[in-house]
């Protein structure tokens, strides 16, 4: 049985860190850093028979802006629609219903996020970033 939960106590932090440490967008992230990101985000774990198989988190002010990050499904469980279940649950979460602007960054999953209304930026020329290395 598949379930999605926002209960941070259920999250398998070593499982999350083990996945993130090797993926391009979070390479090298330590377990302490993963824990800090969990502590300061709205987190969603997805579970198959109570075993965590995926994760996502949202950084938000709950009214104006939300940024979707660290979305993944464990490799052995991909291709079964679990990422869609995870994102649909997040987009329908009651505490996030007032958010007006959602953003995310992806290299290879545009097809997934487009199903939930995400599009390319209307005005990318207005966006700026600062990357600290």
């Amino acid at each position: 049985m598949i379930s999605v939960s926002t209960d941070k106590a259920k999250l398998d932090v070593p499982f999350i860190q083990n996945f993130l440490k090797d993926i391009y967008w979070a390479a090298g992230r330590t377990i302490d850093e993963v824990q800090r990101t969990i502590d300061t985000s709205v987190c969603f774990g997805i579970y198959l028979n109570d075993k965590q198989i995926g994760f996502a988190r949202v950084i938000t002010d709950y009214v104006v802006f939300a940024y979707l990050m660290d979305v993944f499904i464990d490799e052995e469980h991909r291709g079964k629609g679990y990422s869609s279940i995870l994102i649909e649950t997040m987009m329908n979460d009651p505490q996030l219903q007032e958010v007006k602007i959602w953003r995310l960054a992806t290299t290879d999953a545009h097809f997934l996020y487009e199903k939930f209304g995400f599009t390319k930026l209307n005005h990318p020329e207005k966006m700026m970033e600062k990357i600290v290395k």
Side-chain angles (χ1 to χ4, degrees):
M1 179 168 84
I2 285 290
S3 62
V4 178
S5 174
T6 57
D7 182 354
K8 291 181 184 181
K10 288 182 67 173
L11 293 172
D12 183 344
V13 178
F15 163 78
I16 297 166
Q17 191 267 339
N18 188 58
F19 182 89
L20 292 177
K21 72 178 176 49
D22 296 324
I23 199 73
Y24 69 92
W25 73 81
R29 198 175 293 169
T30 68
I31 198 152
D32 289 336
E33 290 169 333
V34 169
Q35 186 63 60
R36 282 191 299 175
T37 66
I38 288 169
D39 293 343
T40 58
S41 302
V42 180
C43 297
F44 295 80
I46 184 166
Y47 304 88
L48 177 61
N49 299 323
D50 294 323
K51 180 179 183 231
Q52 189 169 359
I53 62 165
F55 175 76
R57 66 187 182 94
V58 178
I59 300 170
T60 187
D61 61 16
Y62 298 97
V63 177
V64 178
F65 185 78
Y67 195 87
L68 180 54
M69 300 183 73
D70 294 338
V71 179
F72 74 87
I73 300 294
D74 190 52
E75 287 185 36
E76 70 179 88
H77 298 288
R78 292 183 189 164
K80 300 174 184 170
Y82 297 150
S83 58
S84 291
I85 292 169
L86 179 59
I87 294 170
E88 182 174 3
T89 301
M90 291 182 348
M91 300 306 297
N92 291 321
D93 189 278
Q95 65 183 329
L96 300 173
Q97 291 308 295
E98 290 185 51
V99 176
K100 316 261 181 308
I101 300 168
W102 286 80
R103 294 240 167 89
L104 62 85
T106 185
T107 299
D108 55 5
H110 297 79
F111 65 94
L112 171 64
Y113 299 110
E114 287 169 350
K115 293 191 294 188
F116 297 95
F118 286 87
T119 62
K120 292 181 180 178
L121 292 173
N122 284 332
H123 301 284
E125 69 280 2
K126 293 181 178 181
M127 298 300 299
M128 296 179 70
E129 68 181 358
K130 176 183 176 182
I131 299 174
V132 179
K133 296 190 182 209

